[in-house]
Amino acid sequence: MTLIISYSIICFLLTIILIIIGQILPSNNPDIQKVSPYECGFDPINSSRLPFSFRFFLIALLFLLFDLEIAILLPLPLSTSLISINNSSYTLILFLLILTIGLIYEWINGGLDWANN
């Protein structure tokens, strides 16, 4: 019990010290010259930022989510040897059902259409 209390006190003190240091250190106040793009002394011709496709971002996010969920599904065959097969199969069916409902929802709302802008 005293170990938990001592860890809590250390975490609290460390948090307070970091907040105080963050307030004491000088803030970064950039001016116009520092934030403007540099092109050998000339004014920039085009924007320094390229346009970003929000549709691509959504597709990439969906890929990461489903890829992570597949990584969660990989240890399930091993879990059948540790616990009963019925409990493991119920968990697998429920998890796949939730994944399927999410995929159908994205499909209906057009989240997987590449042609639409």
Side-chain angles (χ1 to χ4, degrees):
M1 184 67 173
T2 59
L3 190 61
I4 294 173
I5 293 173
S6 63
Y7 283 151
S8 299
I9 290 173
I10 290 171
C11 289
F12 180 74
L13 288 176
L14 187 61
T15 304
I16 295 298
I17 289 170
L18 288 175
I19 288 173
I20 291 172
I21 289 174
Q23 294 296 323
I24 292 173
L25 290 177
S27 62
N28 185 10
N29 295 326
D31 58 352
I32 288 287
Q33 295 296 326
K34 286 185 180 179
V35 297
S36 66
Y38 179 70
E39 291 187 12
C40 300
F42 297 105
D43 290 331
I45 297 171
N46 296 330
S47 174
S48 62
R49 297 185 185 264
L50 297 174
F52 183 73
S53 172
F54 189 67
R55 174 72 68 194
F56 173 76
F57 176 73
L58 287 177
I59 296 292
L61 191 62
L62 281 173
F63 172 75
L64 286 175
L65 286 174
F66 282 106
D67 193 41
L68 178 67
E69 290 162 349
I70 288 172
I72 291 172
L73 284 174
L74 283 175
L76 275 176
L78 181 64
S79 70
T80 58
S81 64
L82 299 176
I83 57 176
S84 71
I85 295 175
N86 290 337
N87 290 340
S88 146
S89 63
Y90 292 146
T91 306
L92 176 65
I93 290 171
L94 179 66
F95 193 72
L96 288 176
L97 182 69
I98 292 171
L99 282 179
T100 306
I101 290 171
L103 181 64
I104 292 171
Y105 176 78
E106 285 296 324
W107 196 328
I108 289 173
N109 287 331
L112 300 175
D113 292 337
W114 283 94
N116 294 342
N117 291 329

